[in-house]
Amino acid sequence: MKGLDFIGSSRKDLRAFPEEVKDDVGYALFEAQEGKKPVAAKPLKGFGGAGVLEIIEDFSGDTYRAVYTVSFKKVIYVLHCFQKKSKHGIKTPQQDIDLIKRRLKIAGQDYKANYERGD
């Protein structure tokens, strides 16, 4: 089973979600740790394949998203958790995409520093 690590404020942001959403996202992340693809997860557009995924949960008229990467052998990194504010379309706002890209780079640095030893 892969480890689970959070980048930036993603853990704090996830903890602010409603209980039902936290439970669903937590279970989906557990499935990802086991090497499964959660039903609620789909590849995030703009990241070239299935290495970055998003879990989408609708609750009480709001949409919550948790973005994570499975690009590393030993750990799943949660990159960003947020409530989608826009009611127009399903596209992830550019500022969130930019934040995810920055955090993906940080995840790569963290992996190199903490997990690649002994590979």
Side-chain angles (χ1 to χ4, degrees):
M1 182 144 93
K2 287 186 175 187
L4 185 68
D5 207 344
F6 293 81
I7 301 294
S9 64
S10 57
R11 182 189 307 263
K12 179 178 74 84
D13 298 335
L14 176 60
R15 285 183 174 155
F17 286 2
E19 284 302 319
E20 293 87 344
V21 175
K22 281 193 283 193
D23 290 346
D24 290 345
V25 169
Y27 185 72
L29 290 171
F30 173 73
E31 287 182 305
Q33 284 181 273
E34 290 185 316
K36 300 174 185 170
K37 183 185 174 288
V39 173
K42 65 176 190 164
L44 182 60
K45 288 185 171 111
F47 286 87
V52 176
L53 297 106
E54 66 178 335
I55 301 164
I56 302 171
E57 288 293 326
D58 291 319
F59 178 75
S60 193
D62 293 317
T63 300
Y64 298 86
R65 295 186 180 186
V67 178
Y68 66 98
T69 182
V70 295
S71 298
F72 303 99
K73 184 176 177 182
K74 297 180 181 176
V75 66
I76 301 242
Y77 285 101
V78 180
L79 303 172
H80 188 33
C81 297
F82 62 105
Q83 179 181 350
K84 188 165 180 298
K85 301 291 187 194
S86 172
K87 301 295 182 194
H88 309 297
I90 59 170
K91 186 176 179 190
T92 304
Q94 188 61 46
Q95 67 186 30
D96 290 304
I97 294 291
D98 293 343
L99 178 61
I100 293 163
K101 286 180 180 176
R102 285 193 306 273
R103 288 184 175 175
L104 184 58
K105 200 173 286 187
I106 292 167
Q109 294 165 349
D110 181 81
Y111 190 81
K112 194 172 219 166
N114 295 304
Y115 294 95
E116 280 190 345
R117 293 177 280 200
D119 263 356

